[in-house]
Structure formats: structure tokens, C-alpha cells
Amino acid sequence: MTHEYTAPVPDLTASEVPEPAAVTIVVPTYNESANVRELLYQISESVPARLPCEVVFVDDSTDDTPEVIREAAKNCPFPVTVLHRDEPVGGLGGAVVEGMKAAGSDWIVVMDGDCQHPPSLVPELVATGQRANAGLVVASRYIKGGSRAGLAGSYRVAVSRGATWLTKSLFPRRLHGISDPMSGFFAIRRSDITADVLQPLGYKILLELAVRSRPRAVTEVPFVFQERFAGESKSTAEEGRRFLRHLAGLRTATPLARMVVFGLIGLTGFVPNLVGLWALTHMGLHYLPAEIVANQFGVAWNFLLIEKVLFRDRRRHRHWADRTVRFALLANADLVLRIPLIALLVAHFGLSAVPATALALVITFVLRFVGTEALVYLPRRSRRRSHSESQ
């Protein structure tokens, strides 16, 4: 459930009333009560005189952050809205999407609530986007004039650098022209946001935006990453795991990419299969039933990896027992189909055994992938929809 609060705007004379907000500053917060007063003060000092603005906080806090924002907002010369979420769906990235939906300006600037992103740069981000006719302007720590000085310790520096290298390696085309895809400080035109394709997970919303709804043109401005004003970083090992899951989901978003990963997972399944076969035959079991049993070890291994890596976000469509049975049936049907297919290719198409086997493996692999995606992980059609379509 979301609770909305909008701070009253101080009384102004007619000549002082600003134009409709030229920029909406979206700030996701989680237990940042010690920082938000300072953040609003810095915004008040550096933004309104140069650019009409509004601020939207999307808050997932368990402390008194919403109350502190409301109190501090009384002294702000611009509208301040607080959207408190009882259920923080999608983490900080989900909070940013909620803020974007509530924005009333053509330009949206996203920044953290811990004062590590300087508000004085907000007008420059928007002005740079206007001059370059860009849809996205990234505040980068990694171009000339930028710095990651505020990162605490060599460990966080190494993690940040490693994550940047990994994301740019996985998405060289989508992230072309973005030197700092891990930045949480950027400006984007509202018209360049395709909200319905976004699936945020964790706090790296810029990566989500750049990959799923790449804006028409991207430019960058340098910025110096500041130290936190107060409190501790929210970067944890769990956030790191969510980030890796998010990367896997983004990378396997296309059917071809999913098929490649499906095949790689299938190759790893040979290991438990062969180990199981070796153990069972050394226990005295005949190799034919041993192969049937050992194949189930490979099937189980593949199913676990596919559940965790490839189709994690689609598991909700069916009960786990339903998914398990369907996957096992499809995986074992592969064995039943392959032998007759090889015989057909040899007898009727004149292929020798080796190329026939190779072709049969390719055909059954494609069928297994299509069947797994369609019969195990795609959502079921509701009876009502099926009935309406049949009329």
C-alpha cells in the first residue's frame, strides 16, 4: 500500500509563481532520516534559482524517515511529495519506477538520499540533455573530471569497478556510450521511459533503463562521488546477489539468449549424469537401468539451475510440483524421441550414424527448449480468456 503526502508550497506573489516544474527529482529512501534534511537544504540552495523543480521521495523505510521529510519540506520553496510503500516491490529500483510514474515534469533526475550525489549538478544534467537533444544524461565517475572519492575503502572500489566491467562486458551494445552504468545519478526524459517493460530488482535502475528501454541518445557529465552525510551504506551481500540475479535476467531477456543459456546448463548436466552412471555400474547395476537412473541426476541438476538462473522470474506461474513433473517428462521424452529420429534420418534420408545423431541432438534440443519454455514456464491462459477468444 502506498501513502502519499505532498508538502504545502510557501505563499508566493503572482510574479514569483514559477512555471510548471521543469524537473522532478526522484529520491528513493530506505532509513535515511539522518540525511534528508541536509539533502533538501542542498537542493533548496542549488536548484530552484536555476531550474523550477519538484521533489518526489519514494520511501521504503522502517524508521521515521517519512515524518522527517514532511517536517523538513515545510521550509522548501518547491513541492515535496512523499510516497511511502508498505511493500517495497523491486527494492530501490522499484521505488524509482514508482517515482517516475508520479513525476509531473518532462525531465526526471534520479539521485540517492544520502547526499553522495551533489544536487548542484541537477541543472547541468538537464541543460546538457537539452543541448545534446539526449534522452538520458548520466552523471559519471569515470570520465575526465569525475571521481569515485566517496567510495569507502578499497573493497567497495574493487566491487564497483568489477560490477562496471561485468555489466559493460555483458551488454556492449546497449551500454555503448555509458562509462558508468552503475551510477545512481542521472537525468532522463519522461518520454524516453517505457515503464511497462521495466522489471527492476535491487538498486541499479540505470542498468535496467539502459538495457530494456534504451533512450534515443545518451550523453554524460562528470561528477565527484561524495562521502555519505550520515548513516551507513545499504550495499550488502544480499544486494550483491540480487544484482547478479538481475544481470542474469537482463542477459536472458531474448529467446536466443535464453536458448544459449539453456544449452550451456544442459551441458553441465552431463557431469552428474556421468558420475551417477559410474557409481551405479560400480555398485553392480546393469548399464541400461543405470543410464536411466543416472539421467535423472542430470535432469534434476538442470532443473535446479534453470529454476535459479534462467526462469527465476517465471516460477510464479505454476506450482513447483507442477513445474518439476512437466520438466522431468520433457527431459525424459528427449531420450524416447531421439532414437526413432536417428533411425528415421539414417533409413529415409541416407545419413550415416554420426551426423544423424548430431542432427537429432540439435532437433531434440530445440524442441526441449521450446517445450520447456511453453509448457513449464509460460503463464497459463485463463479459462475466461480462452472462452472469449473462441467466440
Side-chain angles (χ1 to χ4, degrees):
M1 185 175 179
T2 300
H3 310 287
E4 180 174 346
Y5 164 84
T6 302
V9 182
D11 292 334
L12 300 172
T13 65
S15 60
E16 293 174 315
V17 175
E19 297 175 1
V23 62
T24 298
I25 301 174
V26 174
V27 186
T29 50
Y30 176 73
N31 294 350
E32 297 287 2
S33 59
N35 290 307
V36 291
R37 287 184 182 276
E38 176 65 20
L39 177 62
L40 284 173
Y41 171 76
Q42 291 184 17
I43 293 174
S44 298
E45 288 292 298
S46 58
V47 181
R50 300 173 58 191
L51 188 68
C53 69
E54 65 174 352
V55 178
V56 176
F57 286 92
V58 186
D59 182 70
D60 297 337
S61 298
T62 56
D63 65 1
D64 61 343
T65 297
E67 289 73 25
V68 174
I69 296 172
R70 290 164 188 151
E71 185 63 30
K74 295 177 182 178
N75 299 318
C76 293
F78 45 76
V80 177
T81 300
V82 183
L83 302 176
H84 180 73
R85 305 194 303 168
D86 293 329
E87 297 181 10
V89 178
L92 290 181
V96 170
V97 174
E98 288 296 318
M100 289 176 168
K101 291 177 180 178
S105 310
D106 292 333
W107 278 101
I108 300 169
V109 169
V110 176
M111 63 189 306
D112 290 348
D114 53 14
C115 300
Q116 292 188 293
H117 299 154
S120 58
L121 196 62
V122 169
E124 184 177 344
L125 287 170
V126 175
T128 300
Q130 290 286 85
R131 288 194 300 267
N133 195 28
L136 173 66
V137 186
V138 179
S140 174
R141 298 164 290 181
Y142 301 126
I143 60 176
K144 185 178 180 181
S147 170
R148 57 177 185 271
L151 282 176
S154 57
Y155 172 75
R156 285 196 65 196
V157 171
V159 169
S160 178
R161 271 297 194 185
T164 299
W165 174 84
L166 179 60
T167 55
K168 288 183 70 67
S169 299
L170 289 174
F171 306 100
R173 184 174 63 87
R174 285 287 181 176
L175 297 180
H176 178 71
I178 300 178
S179 64
D180 194 356
M182 309 304 291
S183 178
F185 191 18
F186 58 89
I188 189 167
R189 291 181 192 266
R190 189 168 56 173
S191 58
D192 282 75
I193 299 170
T194 312
D196 58 335
V197 304
L198 298 178
Q199 300 173 33
L201 178 64
Y203 58 103
K204 297 305 179 185
I205 186 62
L206 174 60
L207 178 64
E208 174 79 12
L209 286 165
V211 172
R212 293 200 196 274
S213 57
R214 170 79 182 205
R216 53 187 168 182
V218 178
T219 188
E220 296 185 316
V221 297
F223 92 105
V224 177
F225 191 68
Q226 309 292 315
E227 294 184 4
R228 286 182 65 91
F229 179 75
E232 297 180 352
S233 171
K234 306 303 188 298
S235 297
T236 62
E238 176 58 28
E239 281 297 335
R241 287 191 289 271
R242 291 176 76 179
F243 168 67
L244 292 176
R245 292 203 306 268
H246 192 197
L247 274 183
L250 287 171
R251 185 60 279 177
T252 57
T254 64
L256 179 59
R258 288 196 298 273
M259 184 180 291
V260 170
V261 175
F262 186 86
L264 293 174
I265 290 174
L267 289 175
T268 67
F270 283 116
V271 176
N273 191 326
L274 293 175
V275 170
L277 181 62
W278 177 85
L280 290 170
T281 53
H282 275 70
M283 291 169 58
L285 190 65
H286 189 271
Y287 75 90
L288 285 179
E291 171 57 36
I292 294 174
V293 174
N295 187 62
Q296 307 316 306
F297 295 138
V299 170
W301 172 266
N302 290 344
F303 179 67
L304 288 174
L305 283 184
I306 285 170
E307 286 267 299
K308 291 290 185 180
V309 176
L310 190 57
F311 291 119
R312 184 183 183 91
D313 60 332
R314 300 189 188 182
R315 294 182 302 182
R316 66 185 183 277
H317 298 316
R318 295 182 186 274
H319 189 270
W320 69 267
D322 188 12
R323 299 194 308 271
T324 303
V325 171
R326 285 169 175 266
F327 185 86
L329 289 174
L330 283 169
N332 285 285
D334 173 71
L335 289 175
V336 177
L337 176 63
R338 196 184 311 154
I339 294 174
L341 183 58
I342 292 171
L344 177 67
L345 292 172
V346 171
H348 293 275
F349 293 92
L351 296 180
S352 60
V354 173
T357 301
L359 183 56
L361 284 169
V362 172
I363 293 172
T364 55
F365 163 72
V366 173
L367 291 175
R368 191 166 69 251
F369 167 74
V370 173
T372 299
E373 185 167 52
L375 301 178
V376 182
Y377 291 103
L378 285 184
R380 288 175 286 190
R381 298 170 63 186
S382 66
R383 291 182 180 180
R384 181 180 298 177
R385 181 180 173 187
S386 298
H387 176 70
S388 64
E389 289 180 351
S390 64
Q391 292 179 337

